[in-house]
Amino acid sequence: MSSESKTPDWSKPAAMAIPKGGYFEDKVEQGRYGPIFPKSPAGYGFSVLAKIIPGREDVFYKYAKTIEETIAAQPDALAVLQLHYLRWVLFPIKGDTYFMYQGIFDTDFDKYTEDAVKIFSATGLRTVFENLEGFPMDWETNPAAFIKFARDHQCPSFLEYAEYPYVSATEVKKALKLKAAFSTMLDQMQ
């Protein structure tokens, strides 16, 4: 940020070192379900790491295909989540399989998780989290339990970097639409 302005400068890459535990002690903001993880140059985000129920690996791959097909059929299906990206990884630790969910988005953690529960409930989709050990099976009627599970399994990052810091997904889409419109206009002028 410029010393003259409190508006973050999106034109220069930025990085933020985040203290152990995921919060700046002097800037902890309370959300509805606990402290709000700080907004970094990349946005808000979280990483959940949890052990999957043995034998359920294939469910994750099938679910990924379901999400792919849902987005192909209805591109705005997850729009309310204001996502920049999601990354899902399965990997072994001492003979067990773990799931890592990483997401960067433009809303705080509590709102993101509440909105995700609403999407699942409205669409009839189940969450792949049901295949994680200790996940609350009453998650659809008990968003607080879902959020507690996610918070309990959150692995806070200690560094986040963004090539275009503090820019929302909506702003990126608007800029790309503007670019496309200018390209079309310039093509018409030739």
Side-chain angles (χ1 to χ4, degrees):
M1 282 196 257
S2 154
S3 60
E4 296 172 17
S5 167
K6 294 298 178 196
T7 304
D9 182 358
W10 60 265
S11 68
K12 296 177 188 163
M16 177 186 284
I18 300 169
K20 190 173 185 173
Y23 305 101
F24 294 93
E25 292 297 324
D26 59 335
K27 297 178 184 172
V28 174
E29 210 180 319
Q30 286 297 314
R32 291 175 298 289
Y33 304 97
I36 295 174
F37 295 104
K39 183 175 186 176
S40 78
Y44 288 105
F46 66 94
S47 300
V48 168
L49 179 62
K51 185 176 171 185
I52 72 167
I53 297 169
R56 303 254 180 114
E57 291 87 353
D58 286 345
V59 172
F60 287 82
Y61 291 98
K62 288 176 186 168
Y63 194 83
K65 192 68 178 164
T66 299
I67 295 294
E68 177 187 26
E69 292 166 357
T70 299
I71 298 304
Q74 187 183 354
D76 64 346
L78 301 178
V80 71
L81 298 177
Q82 300 180 43
L83 286 161
H84 286 262
Y85 75 85
L86 290 177
R87 183 179 181 117
W88 293 3
V89 180
L90 291 178
F91 57 94
I93 298 177
K94 297 182 181 179
D96 294 315
T97 303
Y98 283 76
F99 172 66
M100 182 171 58
Y101 175 105
Q102 292 181 304
I104 296 287
F105 38 88
D106 291 326
T107 63
D108 69 59
F109 177 86
D110 293 346
K111 179 165 178 17
Y112 176 89
T113 310
E114 287 174 337
D115 288 343
V117 170
K118 287 176 190 171
I119 288 172
F120 293 131
S121 299
T123 62
L125 285 173
R126 307 303 299 174
T127 176
V128 76
F129 280 40
E130 290 179 337
N131 298 285
L132 300 173
E133 289 188 358
F135 186 74
M137 287 301 135
D138 67 343
W139 65 271
E140 287 180 288
T141 57
N142 188 359
F146 191 128
I147 292 167
K148 181 178 181 340
F149 178 87
R151 283 183 174 276
D152 289 349
H153 292 82
Q154 157 74 347
C155 297
S157 56
F158 59 90
L159 174 71
E160 293 195 10
Y161 167 89
E163 187 68 23
Y164 47 92
Y166 302 103
V167 177
S168 72
T170 300
E171 290 169 317
V172 170
K173 288 178 183 179
K174 284 179 182 177
L176 292 172
K177 283 180 185 176
L178 185 59
K179 178 185 177 221
F182 276 126
S183 290
T184 300
M185 180 188 71
L186 291 172
D187 288 346
Q188 297 299 318
M189 293 176 71
Q190 293 181 359

